[in-house]
Amino acid sequence: MRSSPRRPVLGALAVVSMLGLVAACGSGGASSEIQLWGLQDDLLNESTEQIVASYNENAETPVNYSYYVNDPYKERLQVALGSPQGPDVWLNWGGGNLSQFVEAGQVTDLTPMLEQEPELRDAFLPSVMEVGTVDGSVYALPMVGTQPVLLYFNQEVFDEAGVEPPQTYDDLLELVDVFTERDITPIVLPGQQAWTEMFWLAYLTERIGGPDVFQAVIDGEEGAWRDPAMIEAMERCQELVEAGAFGTSYASVTYDGGAATELLTSGEAAMFLMGTWEYGSQLASAPEFVESSLGWTTFPMVEDGEGDPQALVGNPSNYFSITANSEHVDASFEFLAETLTSDAYLDSLLELGQVPPVVGIEDRLAASPGADHATWVYDLVDNASSYTQVWDQAMTPAQAEVLLTNIQRLFLNEITPDEFAAAMEQAS
Amino acid sequence: MIGSTLERRPARRADSSAPRRPGRAGRTDRPGILWAAPALLFFGVFALFPIVLVAWLSLTEWSGLGDPVFVGLDNWLALPQDPEAPGAVWSTVRLTVLCWAVQTPLALLLGVWAAGQQRNRAVLSALFFLPLLLSTAAIALLGHSMFDPNFGLAEVVGPLVGVPDGNFLGNSDLALYMVIGVLTWQFVPFHALIYQAAARQIPRMLYEAAAIDGAGRFRRFLSITLPQLRHTIVASSVLILVGSLTYFETVLLLTGGGPGTASRVLPLHMYIQGFRAFEMGDASVLAVLLVAVGTLLSVLVVRVTGYSRMTSEREGL
């Protein structure tokens, strides 16, 4: 008696769930618009919308721009790409992030199209184009300013203490003592977000061993994580923590929300290792401070290190790629070709204090709102002997997750460099 | 068991009274499968179907890109090698036990108090129940700003409680307790409300009789209130225990599972595996485990406490 009514129910369930699937598959279909996906960025979105609108006025295939918050964006992209609901053109970070999409056959190879338009291909700085290139083919074009990680500092705090920005790692250690004595946190570290700690490990590795050390990790070479330079970089990270360089409550501090920035601008902290997007957000939130007291320099060199003091770590750019099975591959490429190096687009970036990775824009940089910062960064990137992508974007998401977890442990002194290397080896 | 009592009922009714309209005899007036259909459909589409889907995904390798590749039990066999899994299980157990141990007495006392007739009770109760009106995300973000070591309350309160630098969320020994604190603040009002309603149902004659017998306030609480609330305690406990297996957004927004993995509970670990590392197969294994443990836990609590026998609380009245 009790089991008999269940069968029709199960049948009905099966039918309903199948209907659901069919509906889900059917609702996409052909679209007459280019779907363009980007990241939520209050400053950038507005100008991009204007540029898209003016492009649409004369375009055969109009562009529909939508944007999402960072983490949900990555989730959404991963699932939607290649489905009818997916975008035609979408933002990515190049590197390992891009290459997993390339391996899955989801990205249009732009190389043949760029052959037709050599001007576009040669418009961007080579070190930045490199990150959008997988196995010699170009899959992505830079769409925002280049964002190397720099050592920002509060000039006023330095002046009061009568000290100079650090040239070397030893200078840095001395400054830690100077500022600790003055009851100022020497370095802001928003350690609740592990990627901010990753900058320290990445730069120290670069300065101690040069760019090949991390390249070996990306190439999957055996023992790459146990490279002496890598191990020494980890030890120096822990040395800085031990010396109180980041204060004691760094693991409670976050970057999102602005608490870390506030510590630097208020003078409670002296230095901050951060990407150049930090300059843009300070320009918007504390223009007087930027004018009067914000200083910046390259990451200090390490004595006897093999790395070039001019080598950079950072986010070479964010990129636009075109979906492989998009119905509008050509129209999408046309949109990118007409937009990315257009005067209007570059001006909108410059206005926000960004540094477009485009060749021959020195004059326009000099006339932009953050001219001294912009020209300085541009020269730096132009002359950089190497430009290492921030590690978590250069790896696959699964490896990046293990990396970030263990970097946090390293900075909490919960693991030794050896254990760190072992954890990374197990993950790769 | 419910089914059998229902089935007996029409027969008895037919014996005793009320002649029926012809053609609608027997069990047709009993709520049939049609009545349950809307709920069953809803449950099927939004609960059963996803569970089956997740169980199948746990047997595949899928990054969200392309199609899932069937790999059999590989993900299940790899679970013991997951370096973060034991820590996540331990954090979850601690969170579950502590949430129950802290929330139950607080909610019970608050609820029983709020069921009384004291002066100012209504006003104070309304204040206590305020967190019920806030969304989980809002509470977690609020907690996060409060515990900010430089700009939050933590800077002021920290030195008074032996944390001079206000480093609550970034301290591996404290982070999980901060999560429990925020969860307690959020959920105690809800459980207090359940206890308040239940305590109001206790017949006053019990208390009056006890008072005549000379029982003091404490004795009456122990010998009348507590036994009478037995089933409410079970219901609230099941909600807390099973609920603890789903707390995720509070942890994500408050500590992100950190520092390190100090507060990474299983649901958060599942999220990180699924939507940060994009290992959907591994994440599905954890999801299936959570469903199984949650179900087992509630069945166990209900069995052990005798709640399932559905005996009356009002015997002898």
Side-chain angles (χ1 to χ4, degrees):
Chain A
M1 271 314 273
R2 297 199 69 199
S3 64
S4 60
R6 281 190 190 160
R7 256 170 245 138
V9 176
L10 281 180
L13 275 182
V15 169
V16 167
S17 52
M18 271 187 272
L19 281 177
L21 281 177
V22 171
C25 297
S27 61
S31 156
S32 56
E33 289 180 323
I34 297 173
Q35 299 296 329
L36 173 68
W37 282 16
L39 272 189
Q40 165 102 40
D41 178 332
D42 293 341
L43 302 171
L44 195 61
N45 290 150
E46 202 179 315
S47 60
T48 309
E49 269 169 355
Q50 282 171 6
I51 283 158
V52 165
S54 68
Y55 176 83
N56 284 349
E57 277 169 23
N58 303 312
E60 228 170 89
T61 320
V63 176
N64 180 23
Y65 181 45
S66 37
Y67 44 81
Y68 308 91
V69 183
N70 198 326
D71 284 345
Y73 174 76
K74 291 181 186 174
E75 290 157 23
R76 210 183 153 83
L77 185 66
Q78 195 99 5
V79 179
L81 206 59
S83 82
Q85 280 82 14
D88 298 296
V89 181
W90 38 278
L91 179 147
N92 61 77
W93 290 264
N97 173 275
L98 174 67
S99 67
Q100 54 149 350
F101 294 120
V102 172
E103 272 164 35
Q106 306 276 16
V107 196
T108 303
D109 183 355
L110 303 177
T111 322
M113 292 178 239
L114 288 170
E115 294 290 326
Q116 308 289 318
E117 301 237 11
E119 273 171 43
L120 181 67
R121 183 189 57 201
D122 301 332
F124 300 103
L125 298 178
S127 61
V128 175
M129 277 298 267
E130 182 72 22
V131 179
T133 305
V134 179
D135 296 333
S137 301
V138 180
Y139 288 94
L141 294 173
M143 50 72 68
V144 287
T146 182
Q147 300 166 326
V149 173
L150 303 178
L151 188 66
Y152 288 94
F153 56 88
N154 187 326
Q155 185 70 56
E156 205 181 304
V157 172
F158 270 74
D159 288 346
E160 276 167 21
V163 287
E164 294 291 315
Q167 301 286 320
T168 66
Y169 178 81
D170 287 344
D171 290 352
L172 190 69
L173 279 182
E174 271 171 40
L175 285 175
V176 167
D177 290 338
V178 170
F179 288 120
T180 308
E181 255 169 52
R182 298 176 67 89
D183 218 15
I184 290 169
T185 306
I187 300 163
V188 190
L189 181 68
Q192 207 182 66
Q193 292 175 290
W195 52 267
T196 64
E197 299 174 329
M198 175 188 67
F199 292 163
W200 284 92
L201 182 60
Y203 252 127
L204 283 166
T205 306
E206 164 64 46
R207 290 291 184 266
I208 294 167
D212 297 340
V213 179
F214 181 66
Q215 191 56 46
V217 169
I218 293 300
D219 296 342
E221 279 175 32
E222 187 119 348
W225 285 105
R226 293 189 188 277
D227 189 292
M230 186 73 86
I231 297 287
E232 190 188 334
M234 295 179 205
E235 285 165 356
R236 301 259 173 152
C237 286
Q238 293 192 319
E239 183 181 36
L240 284 170
V241 171
E242 204 75 9
F246 310 113
T248 53
S249 60
Y250 60 91
S252 294
V253 181
T254 49
Y255 181 72
D256 298 342
T261 301
E262 176 74 20
L263 285 173
L264 183 76
T265 55
S266 68
E268 284 180 61
M271 293 172 270
F272 192 14
L273 185 68
M274 199 30 74
T276 52
W277 56 85
E278 173 70 10
Y279 180 85
S281 59
Q282 288 197 15
L283 198 61
S285 67
E288 302 93 37
F289 171 76
V290 172
E291 186 65 34
S292 66
S293 320
L294 182 67
W296 54 85
T297 181
T298 50
F299 191 85
M301 54 177 280
V302 174
E303 292 82 349
D304 306 325
E306 285 171 34
D308 179 350
Q310 293 295 317
L312 290 175
V313 171
N315 191 7
S317 187
N318 292 348
Y319 298 81
F320 274 143
S321 292
I322 302 175
T323 311
N325 61 358
S326 158
E327 291 168 32
H328 307 296
V329 170
D330 291 330
S332 298
F333 183 76
E334 194 187 312
F335 165 71
L336 292 181
E338 269 192 35
T339 309
L340 290 181
T341 53
S342 72
D343 288 349
Y345 192 74
L346 294 181
D347 280 341
S348 75
L349 291 180
L350 288 167
E351 233 162 80
L352 302 172
Q354 297 210 17
V355 183
V358 173
V359 289
I361 55 164
E362 286 85 348
D363 293 347
R364 303 173 62 169
L365 283 168
S368 71
D372 44 351
H373 183 262
T375 41
W376 192 84
V377 171
Y378 185 82
D379 289 341
L380 191 70
V381 173
D382 204 15
N383 297 323
S385 57
S386 72
Y387 198 162
T388 301
Q389 190 180 22
V390 288
W391 289 6
D392 60 341
Q393 301 291 10
M395 297 174 160
T396 63
Q399 287 171 330
E401 200 42 56
V402 180
L403 172 78
L404 292 173
T405 301
N406 283 291
I407 282 184
Q408 232 176 8
R409 287 192 175 133
L410 186 79
F411 274 77
L412 288 166
N413 251 328
E414 286 180 0
I415 54 171
T416 63
D418 255 353
E419 286 166 327
F420 185 108
M424 291 315 299
E425 278 168 358
Q426 200 197 333
S428 54
Chain B
M1 213 176 275
I2 297 172
S4 61
T5 50
L6 279 175
E7 255 163 76
R8 249 184 285 125
R9 211 167 278 159
R12 213 193 298 158
R13 237 190 277 164
D15 284 350
S16 56
S17 60
R20 291 168 174 284
R21 270 180 294 164
R24 295 205 59 204
R27 25 181 249 116
T28 44
D29 60 342
R30 176 165 80 85
I33 192 71
L34 260 182
W35 296 62
L40 278 176
L41 261 185
F42 192 82
F43 182 70
V45 173
F46 292 105
L48 281 183
F49 176 62
I51 289 176
V52 172
L53 198 65
V54 160
W56 178 72
L57 271 182
S58 76
L59 304 176
T60 66
E61 174 93 48
W62 191 40
S63 68
L65 287 172
D67 297 322
V69 179
F70 188 80
V71 293
L73 289 174
D74 280 9
N75 294 326
W76 287 89
L77 296 175
L79 187 64
Q81 270 105 55
D82 179 355
E84 312 305 346
V89 170
W90 177 228
S91 294
T92 311
V93 170
R94 279 198 299 162
L95 184 84
T96 308
V97 171
L98 285 172
C99 270
W100 180 81
V102 174
Q103 287 181 27
T104 303
L106 279 179
L108 181 63
L109 291 174
L110 205 60
V112 170
W113 176 82
Q117 305 289 339
Q118 309 86 333
R119 201 196 287 181
N120 297 335
R121 179 200 55 83
V123 176
L124 286 173
S125 300
L127 283 178
F128 290 150
F129 294 155
L130 217 53
L132 263 181
L133 303 176
L134 300 175
S135 82
T136 307
I139 290 175
L141 289 175
L142 208 69
H144 191 270
S145 345
M146 210 169 80
F147 294 134
D148 187 299
N150 298 298
F151 305 105
L153 204 60
E155 191 189 9
V156 184
V157 176
L160 306 177
V161 297
V163 187
D165 54 359
N167 187 22
F168 288 98
L169 296 179
N171 184 325
S172 307
D173 300 327
L174 290 179
L176 192 69
Y177 299 108
M178 306 322 289
V179 173
I180 292 169
V182 171
L183 285 172
T184 301
W185 189 78
Q186 178 181 4
F187 284 109
V188 158
F190 172 70
H191 293 282
L193 203 61
I194 298 180
Y195 284 119
Q196 183 198 27
R200 288 236 170 114
Q201 304 260 322
I202 302 175
R204 298 193 63 161
M205 64 169 95
L206 291 179
Y207 292 103
E208 284 157 6
I212 291 170
D213 287 346
R217 176 180 282 209
F218 182 66
R219 183 66 207 233
R220 275 178 302 193
F221 175 76
L222 218 59
S223 303
I224 300 172
T225 313
L226 270 189
Q228 288 288 319
L229 288 179
R230 198 173 69 235
H231 287 173
T232 315
I233 294 175
V234 175
S236 153
S237 297
V238 169
L239 285 177
I240 295 178
L241 291 175
V242 177
S244 299
L245 295 175
T246 64
Y247 296 151
F248 148 75
E249 59 272 58
T250 309
V251 191
L252 178 74
L253 292 170
L254 205 58
T255 65
T261 50
S263 59
R264 188 188 284 192
V265 290
L266 267 184
L268 182 66
H269 187 47
M270 172 184 78
Y271 167 80
I272 289 174
Q273 289 281 333
F275 292 103
R276 295 267 177 82
F278 294 110
E279 302 274 11
M280 295 294 177
D282 294 341
S284 299
V285 169
L286 295 172
V288 173
L289 279 179
L290 279 171
V291 171
V293 172
T295 312
L296 273 179
L297 204 59
S298 60
V299 169
L300 196 75
V301 172
V302 166
R303 278 280 159 80
V304 167
T305 54
Y307 184 69
S308 57
R309 285 193 291 279
M310 283 288 171
T311 47
S312 168
E313 294 176 59
R314 309 262 182 271
E315 262 164 284
L317 287 172

Short mmCIF file of all heavy atoms in Angstrom, two decimals, chain B residues 9-21 29:
data_model
loop_
_atom_site.label_atom_id
_atom_site.label_comp_id
_atom_site.label_asym_id
_atom_site.label_seq_id
_atom_site.Cartn_x
_atom_site.Cartn_y
_atom_site.Cartn_z
N ARG B 9 -8.84 5.81 10.51
CA ARG B 9 -9.83 6.79 10.89
C ARG B 9 -11.14 6.73 10.11
O ARG B 9 -12.20 6.70 10.74
CB ARG B 9 -9.23 8.19 10.81
CG ARG B 9 -9.85 9.10 11.82
CD ARG B 9 -9.08 10.38 11.97
NE ARG B 9 -7.95 10.26 12.84
CZ ARG B 9 -6.91 11.10 12.81
NH1 ARG B 9 -6.87 12.06 11.91
NH2 ARG B 9 -5.91 10.97 13.65
N PRO B 10 -11.15 6.68 8.81
CA PRO B 10 -12.44 6.70 8.09
C PRO B 10 -13.31 5.52 8.48
O PRO B 10 -14.52 5.69 8.64
CB PRO B 10 -12.03 6.60 6.62
CG PRO B 10 -10.59 6.91 6.59
CD PRO B 10 -10.02 6.59 7.92
N ALA B 11 -12.69 4.40 8.68
CA ALA B 11 -13.46 3.21 9.04
C ALA B 11 -14.23 3.47 10.34
O ALA B 11 -15.44 3.22 10.43
CB ALA B 11 -12.53 2.02 9.23
N ARG B 12 -13.49 4.06 11.29
CA ARG B 12 -14.13 4.29 12.58
C ARG B 12 -15.28 5.27 12.42
O ARG B 12 -16.33 5.14 12.96
CB ARG B 12 -13.10 4.83 13.58
CG ARG B 12 -13.38 4.37 14.99
CD ARG B 12 -12.54 5.16 15.97
NE ARG B 12 -11.12 4.96 15.73
CZ ARG B 12 -10.20 5.83 16.14
NH1 ARG B 12 -10.56 6.95 16.75
NH2 ARG B 12 -8.92 5.60 15.92
N ARG B 13 -15.00 6.29 11.63
CA ARG B 13 -16.03 7.32 11.45
C ARG B 13 -17.26 6.72 10.79
O ARG B 13 -18.37 7.03 11.14
CB ARG B 13 -15.47 8.46 10.61
CG ARG B 13 -15.58 9.78 11.33
CD ARG B 13 -15.25 10.90 10.39
NE ARG B 13 -13.82 11.10 10.28
CZ ARG B 13 -13.29 11.80 9.29
NH1 ARG B 13 -14.04 12.33 8.34
NH2 ARG B 13 -12.00 11.97 9.24
N ALA B 14 -17.04 5.87 9.81
CA ALA B 14 -18.17 5.26 9.10
C ALA B 14 -19.03 4.47 10.09
O ALA B 14 -20.26 4.48 9.99
CB ALA B 14 -17.66 4.34 8.01
N ASP B 15 -18.39 3.80 11.03
CA ASP B 15 -19.13 3.06 12.04
C ASP B 15 -20.04 3.97 12.85
O ASP B 15 -21.21 3.72 13.04
CB ASP B 15 -18.15 2.43 13.05
CG ASP B 15 -17.50 1.23 12.44
OD1 ASP B 15 -17.96 0.83 11.36
OD2 ASP B 15 -16.51 0.72 13.03
N SER B 16 -19.46 5.05 13.29
CA SER B 16 -20.11 5.79 14.37
C SER B 16 -21.25 6.67 13.88
O SER B 16 -22.34 6.61 14.41
CB SER B 16 -19.06 6.63 15.11
OG SER B 16 -18.42 7.47 14.18
N SER B 17 -21.00 7.48 12.85
CA SER B 17 -22.05 8.48 12.58
C SER B 17 -22.09 8.87 11.12
O SER B 17 -21.63 8.14 10.24
CB SER B 17 -21.77 9.71 13.45
OG SER B 17 -20.51 10.22 13.13
N ALA B 18 -22.58 10.05 10.86
CA ALA B 18 -22.56 10.76 9.59
C ALA B 18 -22.63 9.87 8.35
O ALA B 18 -21.60 9.40 7.86
CB ALA B 18 -21.30 11.62 9.51
N PRO B 19 -23.78 9.72 7.80
CA PRO B 19 -23.90 8.96 6.54
C PRO B 19 -23.22 9.73 5.41
O PRO B 19 -23.24 10.95 5.37
CB PRO B 19 -25.41 8.89 6.32
CG PRO B 19 -26.00 10.00 7.13
CD PRO B 19 -25.07 10.24 8.28
N ARG B 20 -22.53 9.00 4.50
CA ARG B 20 -21.77 9.65 3.43
C ARG B 20 -22.61 9.84 2.19
O ARG B 20 -23.55 9.10 1.95
CB ARG B 20 -20.56 8.79 3.10
CG ARG B 20 -19.64 8.81 4.21
CD ARG B 20 -18.57 7.76 4.06
NE ARG B 20 -17.66 8.00 5.15
CZ ARG B 20 -16.79 8.99 5.14
NH1 ARG B 20 -16.68 9.76 4.10
NH2 ARG B 20 -16.02 9.18 6.17
N ARG B 21 -22.16 10.80 1.38
CA ARG B 21 -22.79 10.93 0.08
C ARG B 21 -22.43 9.70 -0.74
O ARG B 21 -21.29 9.22 -0.66
CB ARG B 21 -22.26 12.18 -0.63
CG ARG B 21 -23.09 13.39 -0.31
CD ARG B 21 -22.53 14.59 -1.02
NE ARG B 21 -21.21 14.92 -0.52
CZ ARG B 21 -20.37 15.73 -1.17
NH1 ARG B 21 -20.71 16.20 -2.35
NH2 ARG B 21 -19.19 16.01 -0.66
N ASP B 29 -11.83 10.70 0.56
CA ASP B 29 -11.81 12.04 1.14
C ASP B 29 -10.53 12.31 1.92
O ASP B 29 -10.32 13.38 2.45
CB ASP B 29 -13.03 12.25 2.04
CG ASP B 29 -13.05 11.27 3.18
OD1 ASP B 29 -12.35 10.25 3.07
OD2 ASP B 29 -13.75 11.54 4.17
#
